Amino acid sequence: MTTLAHRRTSPLELNALINSAPRTPVHLSDEHRRSLSARFRAVASDTHRRIDAWMVEQAGKTSPGFRWSPATARRVLATGALRRCGRVTHVSMIDAVTDEIADQLARATSGFARRGSLGDWLSGLCASEIALVTAEAASWAAQNAEVAEWITSPWQVPTSDAYYDVARARTTLRGRRDLAVTLDEARVILRFRAGSPGKSAGPGLRSDLTIEALTHPEGLAPARIIGVWPEAGVCLSVEGTMDDLRSGARDLVRTAVVLRRLEGARAA
Amino acid sequence: MNRSSTATPRNIADALRGERERRPPADVSSASGLRSILEDGIYEILGGARPISSLVIRASSLRQMGTISDISLAPLSRVRGILVNQVLRLLSIGAIVNDPFNDALRAWRLEVRQSDLLDLVDHLDADERARLETDVTAHAVTLTRSLGSVRASWRPRSTVRASQYLGAGAVILRDVIDLMVGTTSSELANVALFDLTTSPLGEGAERTMRYHALVQTLRTSVVPLRTTCFSSATGEMWSLDVDSETLVRSANEVLAAIDRLWREQ
């Protein structure tokens, strides 16, 4: 049975949700990893595939040609800015975003940015366009920082998203995570999303939960994963139970199956 | 109503923040009452029936209540509004805008890439384009002169979107706040909302200001300090300190708009 819960995003509700998370985390064993790997191997793929919660929510539909825009760039820049604000005191969100953009531009200038990367895209923009990207990222960062400041338990911005390479299955799983809250032995993961949660938001959260557990060196699942939709003022949460982890793994494998079918249909 | 009106505000930024000593404690209890008013009212209007598609209320639904047509909805007026709003976004982060029309157009193009309104701008003849450029520049100059310095420590956020589902999804309140400063994590009421319009201020602007405050309250469960509206056409600004009366009044206006939409459907 799923533990999906729906709450309003208010300081009181969010802290209640975090503090009521179970304190004894579920553990994924090597046997679980082997079983998952076998299932992915059974779904052959001609190319290396990358699966994330978004693809699970879209039922395996691939994105129609990714391109950078202020909206697609804001998460990378805002997360970096939030992390920077945590490290350096008295730095404003706008300055932190500006520094993030400067880092990306420096990478592009020194030749370290790949073609099509964020740094490469930013390096081709004029001053007013850079200003709009800054405004968009700073607004996103400020909105997320506001929610983060409501949290009474210690939290930090993870250094990166969760990536898990499924052994011998030519598959990488990517789990998004924006904040990690520490509760004694357990941890709660928060994801910030734009818009309002759709019908498939639950499966998406469960996939992120499973990937987060897989990437933990000891296979410890987060006590709870919370998807926060600040624009809608709601949050959804899933507990790190074995049922939800299994459900998340099933959705990921199902997405791989759909991708395989689409690949086959394209080839035909 | 606690409204202050001035023909030429010296500084919008200062008016938004006001005096720190005079800020009331943050109201975190009114949101649930407002939600009840709205849910009960929606039930009274819809009864057990369910609309074919969700009834969507926007600030524009309240702005135009009772009016048959609104000149600000003409395509070129909308383009002007979008471009002046882009100028506000750039100014809010401290960017220097030397060429308002072209800077705003470049920023808008980066954001949307393709839209009917963008096509319209691309197909304007030289005279029409020059007229639009002059118009946007005039509005941008009024805005720039009046805005003052928005400090980064106020955490300015531009084009803040919000949506609220009511009546089990039968009604959706949608809103976009042009500029927001302050934070809900303070013990004192701290958030100020700013609406920019390129039309002269009228009764509809008052309803819009209240609507922004209502949706923001429902979204965060924290009542904002102040809601303001500025006209870049006249340089006039209206400011309203948000209290429970303001919010209840807006909830009733929203219910009236829902009733109207439901009858039309």
Side-chain angles (χ1 to χ4, degrees), chain B residues 52-100:
Chain B
I52 303 155
S53 56
S54 299
L55 304 173
V56 181
I57 303 292
R58 294 186 168 83
S60 57
S61 320
L62 300 175
R63 199 179 296 131
Q64 298 151 31
M65 261 168 106
T67 56
I68 294 158
S69 63
D70 187 340
I71 199 157
S72 67
L73 290 180
L76 271 180
S77 300
R78 286 171 60 197
V79 169
R80 183 186 64 195
I82 291 167
L83 292 177
V84 177
N85 191 49
Q86 292 291 353
V87 173
L88 173 68
R89 294 199 79 181
L90 304 185
L91 292 173
S92 72
I93 58 140
I96 295 162
V97 182
N98 291 322
D99 181 358

Side-chain angles (χ1 to χ4, degrees), chain B residues 53-231:
Chain B
S53 56
S54 299
L55 304 173
V56 181
I57 303 292
R58 294 186 168 83
S60 57
S61 320
L62 300 175
R63 199 179 296 131
Q64 298 151 31
M65 261 168 106
T67 56
I68 294 158
S69 63
D70 187 340
I71 199 157
S72 67
L73 290 180
L76 271 180
S77 300
R78 286 171 60 197
V79 169
R80 183 186 64 195
I82 291 167
L83 292 177
V84 177
N85 191 49
Q86 292 291 353
V87 173
L88 173 68
R89 294 199 79 181
L90 304 185
L91 292 173
S92 72
I93 58 140
I96 295 162
V97 182
N98 291 322
D99 181 358
F101 179 75
N102 287 311
D103 285 349
L105 191 58
R106 269 194 289 268
W108 182 32
R109 219 182 271 283
L110 186 74
E111 205 169 31
V112 298
R113 295 283 163 106
Q114 210 175 11
S115 86
D116 292 345
L117 290 176
L118 209 47
D119 285 348
L120 177 78
V121 177
D122 290 338
H123 290 98
L124 290 176
D125 64 33
D127 285 350
E128 287 171 326
R129 194 181 167 92
R131 263 198 297 275
L132 179 65
E133 185 170 344
T134 308
D135 202 12
V136 169
T137 305
H139 283 271
V141 167
T142 309
L143 173 67
T144 310
R145 280 185 184 159
S146 308
L147 187 63
S149 158
V150 180
R151 285 193 217 156
S153 59
W154 297 348
R155 289 215 184 143
R157 287 87 95 187
S158 52
T159 315
V160 181
R161 290 184 170 79
S163 58
Q164 286 293 306
Y165 287 70
L166 300 167
V171 175
I172 307 173
L173 308 187
R174 289 201 192 284
D175 195 21
V176 182
I177 294 164
D178 295 329
L179 181 68
M180 186 189 292
V181 294
T183 171
T184 52
S185 54
S186 165
E187 286 180 2
L188 296 177
N190 204 283
V191 174
L193 316 173
F194 179 71
D195 185 72
L196 172 65
T197 175
T198 52
S199 309
L201 299 183
E203 207 182 310
E206 272 185 39
R207 285 194 289 265
T208 303
M209 286 158 67
R210 286 192 288 267
Y211 181 71
H212 289 326
L214 175 72
V215 177
Q216 167 69 8
T217 304
L218 295 174
R219 186 176 76 88
T220 60
S221 301
V222 181
V223 176
L225 168 70
R226 187 166 292 135
T227 176
T228 58
C229 192
F230 176 78
S231 165

Side-chain angles (χ1 to χ4, degrees), chain B residues 4-16 141-148 194 196 201 228-239:
Chain B
S4 63
S5 170
T6 166
T8 48
R10 270 189 315 190
N11 196 323
I12 293 170
D14 287 348
L16 277 177
V141 167
T142 309
L143 173 67
T144 310
R145 280 185 184 159
S146 308
L147 187 63
F194 179 71
L196 172 65
L201 299 183
T228 58
C229 192
F230 176 78
S231 165
S232 55
T234 60
E236 193 179 11
M237 184 178 78
W238 288 354
S239 182

Side-chain angles (χ1 to χ4, degrees), chain B residues 26-46:
Chain B
D27 178 354
V28 292
S29 58
S30 293
S32 50
L34 290 165
R35 197 174 288 280
S36 303
I37 293 173
L38 287 165
E39 292 287 4
D40 291 349
I42 288 167
Y43 186 77
E44 272 177 33
I45 294 165
L46 301 184

Side-chain angles (χ1 to χ4, degrees), chain A:
Chain A
M1 204 181 85
T2 179
T3 54
L4 185 69
H6 178 284
R7 297 279 184 279
R8 304 220 173 282
T9 312
S10 70
L12 210 64
E13 296 267 17
L14 188 63
N15 279 308
L17 207 51
I18 290 169
N19 295 328
S20 65
R23 294 296 207 270
T24 35
V26 172
H27 177 263
L28 283 183
S29 65
D30 286 348
E31 187 50 42
H32 289 120
R33 289 179 200 272
R34 274 196 291 274
S35 167
L36 182 73
S37 175
R39 278 161 207 267
F40 271 110
R41 272 203 308 277
V43 189
S45 174
D46 299 336
T47 53
H48 192 99
R49 62 192 162 207
R50 181 185 277 190
I51 300 173
D52 59 13
W54 190 86
M55 290 171 84
V56 170
E57 288 177 25
Q58 300 294 313
K61 208 163 55 184
T62 47
S63 58
F66 175 85
R67 62 174 176 78
W68 288 109
S69 69
T72 52
R74 70 184 172 197
R75 181 171 178 264
V76 179
L77 298 170
T79 308
L82 268 178
R83 203 178 297 125
R84 204 178 275 267
C85 285
R87 280 201 312 264
V88 188
T89 47
H90 304 304
V91 63
S92 76
M93 206 57 82
I94 293 171
D95 289 342
V97 170
T98 306
D99 290 347
E100 282 296 314
I101 290 175
D103 278 0
Q104 293 281 350
L105 290 173
R107 220 168 291 162
T109 312
S110 54
F112 287 113
R114 281 182 297 110
R115 197 176 147 77
S117 66
L118 176 59
D120 181 51
W121 177 69
L122 287 169
S123 65
L125 301 182
C126 67
S128 58
E129 290 168 332
I130 290 279
L132 183 75
V133 174
T134 309
E136 182 72 32
S139 298
W140 185 251
Q143 184 168 260
N144 296 350
E146 190 171 42
V147 175
E149 282 165 1
W150 293 346
I151 301 170
T152 49
S153 308
W155 55 267
Q156 59 174 353
V157 183
T159 45
S160 75
D161 280 339
Y163 288 91
Y164 182 74
D165 271 316
V166 185
R168 292 174 293 148
R170 306 181 81 182
T171 305
T172 301
L173 305 177
R174 181 199 187 185
R176 288 175 193 254
R177 49 188 180 186
D178 294 313
L179 279 188
V181 183
T182 313
L183 294 170
D184 306 326
E185 296 297 297
R187 69 190 192 284
V188 172
I189 300 296
L190 269 78
R191 280 196 61 187
F192 293 110
R193 307 282 303 271
S196 312
K199 284 179 186 163
S200 54
L205 271 183
R206 279 194 289 268
S207 307
D208 277 333
L209 174 85
T210 306
I211 299 166
E212 175 69 24
L214 286 167
T215 51
H216 191 276
E218 290 154 34
L220 287 182
R224 181 165 269 168
I225 185 158
I226 303 175
V228 184
W229 281 261
E231 290 172 12
V234 294
C235 50
L236 298 184
S237 91
V238 174
E239 277 181 29
T241 61
M242 192 48 85
D243 275 353
D244 281 307
L245 287 167
R246 282 205 182 101
S247 176
R250 268 198 299 272
D251 285 337
L252 289 165
V253 174
R254 251 183 234 136
T255 305
V257 171
V258 175
L259 281 175
R260 175 69 197 145
R261 279 188 198 143
L262 291 173
E263 238 175 52
R266 266 199 297 271

